[in-house]
């Protein structure tokens, strides 16, 4: 049994500047531009690492927010490989042994399979079993129910030496693996990832709408009774774009109606 601890960095569309604009593609709202992975054996010993940059095809211009967050540049990505080449490297890295994927939050699992589907590649040999280490770490560190701890906070609370910056796929995979080693328990049971075919809507025949960002910013300034800074405006616009993808929706169980 091996554990494949991996992390992804994404590029995404943006249309809030007068420069090059990337139209958001609903079939691939988050395009993988880096994968970092740590392979652990059954004794949780690191036996191999993987670090690959991917040259973007869906969004050829790098989102300024992504550049600021990750430190990745277009020069870095231009020297990267195609998604298919990265995917083949990942499959070789996983190998033929029985493996479980390990991630910090379930988003990376979803986006990995969504990118594979977008490029019409075969996901048959990618493990469907996965462990959400963030969820277990949140419980282990006594977070309130429904609150998930961030990777950097968990790393600090568990006294793991911070040697390299966060928001680099390989570094984040390393910190996730180190947390996993500390909190691991045989009670951890993998989930099974099932791709929901209904999450990707066919929008070819639907009407297209464009967000009125100046109006949105104006409304926010009215609410906060002050002018938004340049950084705040960028964050608001990015948050709006990310929200439109429905990537962060959670299912709510209705409260049963009491019968008296």
């Amino acid at each position: 049994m091996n554990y494949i601890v991996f992390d992804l960095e994404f590029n995404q569309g943006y249309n809030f500047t007068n420069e090059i604009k990337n139209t958001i593609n609903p079939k691939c709202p988050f395009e993988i531009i880096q994968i970092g992975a740590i392979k652990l054996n059954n004794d949780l010993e690191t036996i191999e690492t993987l670090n690959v940059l991917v040259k973007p095809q869906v969004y050829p211009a790098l989102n300024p927010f992504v550049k600021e967050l990750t430190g990745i540049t277009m020069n870095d990505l231009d020297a990267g490989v195609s998604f298919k080449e990265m995917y083949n490297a990942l499959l070789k890295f996983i190998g033929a042994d029985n493996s479980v994927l390990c991630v910090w939050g379930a988003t990376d699992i979803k986006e990995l399979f969504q990118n594979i589907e977008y490029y019409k590649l075969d996901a048959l040999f990618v493990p469907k079993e996965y462990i959400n280490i963030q969820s277990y770490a949140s419980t282990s560190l006594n977070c309130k129910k429904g609150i998930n701890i961030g990777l950097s906070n968990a790393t600090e609370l568990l006294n793991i030496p911070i040697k390299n910056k966060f928001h680099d796929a390989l570094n984040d995979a390393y910190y996730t693996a180190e947390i996993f080693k500390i909190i691991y328990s045989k009670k951890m049971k993998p989930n099974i990832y099932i791709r929901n075919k209904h999450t990707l809507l066919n929008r070819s025949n639907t009407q297209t709408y464009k967000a009125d960002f100046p109006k949105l910013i104006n409304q926010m300034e009215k609410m906060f009774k002050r002018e938004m800074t340049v950084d705040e405006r960028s964050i608001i616009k990015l948050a709006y774009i990310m929200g439109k993808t429905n990537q962060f929706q959670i299912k709510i169980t209705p409260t049963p109606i009491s019968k008296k």
Side-chain angles (χ1 to χ4, degrees), residues 108-227:
D108 282 5
I109 288 285
K110 181 177 181 179
E111 295 309 327
L112 174 62
F113 281 98
Q114 184 152 327
N115 275 248
I116 293 170
E117 182 178 274
Y118 177 82
Y119 283 101
K120 296 180 173 59
L121 300 174
D122 190 350
L124 179 64
F125 297 106
V126 180
K128 304 303 185 293
E129 288 189 314
Y130 75 95
I131 296 174
N132 181 353
I133 297 174
Q134 183 185 38
S135 178
Y136 283 103
S138 298
T139 300
S140 178
L141 293 168
N142 299 315
C143 294
K144 291 182 179 180
K145 187 176 181 180
I147 301 297
N148 286 317
I149 192 169
L151 181 61
S152 60
N153 287 338
T155 301
E156 291 180 7
L157 288 173
L158 292 171
N159 297 314
I160 297 170
I162 300 176
K163 300 178 181 179
N164 299 297
K165 68 181 183 69
F166 292 94
H167 300 298
D168 170 272
L170 183 59
N171 294 345
D172 287 357
Y174 167 79
Y175 292 125
T176 302
E178 292 302 300
I179 291 171
F180 183 50
K181 293 175 184 180
I182 293 173
I183 68 172
Y184 174 78
S185 166
K186 291 184 178 180
K187 294 181 180 180
M188 291 183 175
K189 300 298 181 183
N191 295 311
I192 305 296
Y193 179 79
I194 300 175
R195 179 82 174 117
N196 183 0
K197 296 295 184 181
H198 299 292
T199 57
L200 294 181
L201 303 178
N202 182 358
R203 304 184 183 182
S204 58
N205 296 321
T206 60
Q207 187 172 357
T208 301
Y209 293 90
K210 179 180 178 181
D212 187 343
F213 285 121
K215 188 173 181 179
L216 172 61
I217 298 299
N218 184 56
Q219 181 61 33
M220 295 297 291
E221 290 179 337
K222 286 182 180 180
M223 292 171 60
F224 286 91
K225 297 181 179 180
R226 65 174 176 83
E227 184 177 350

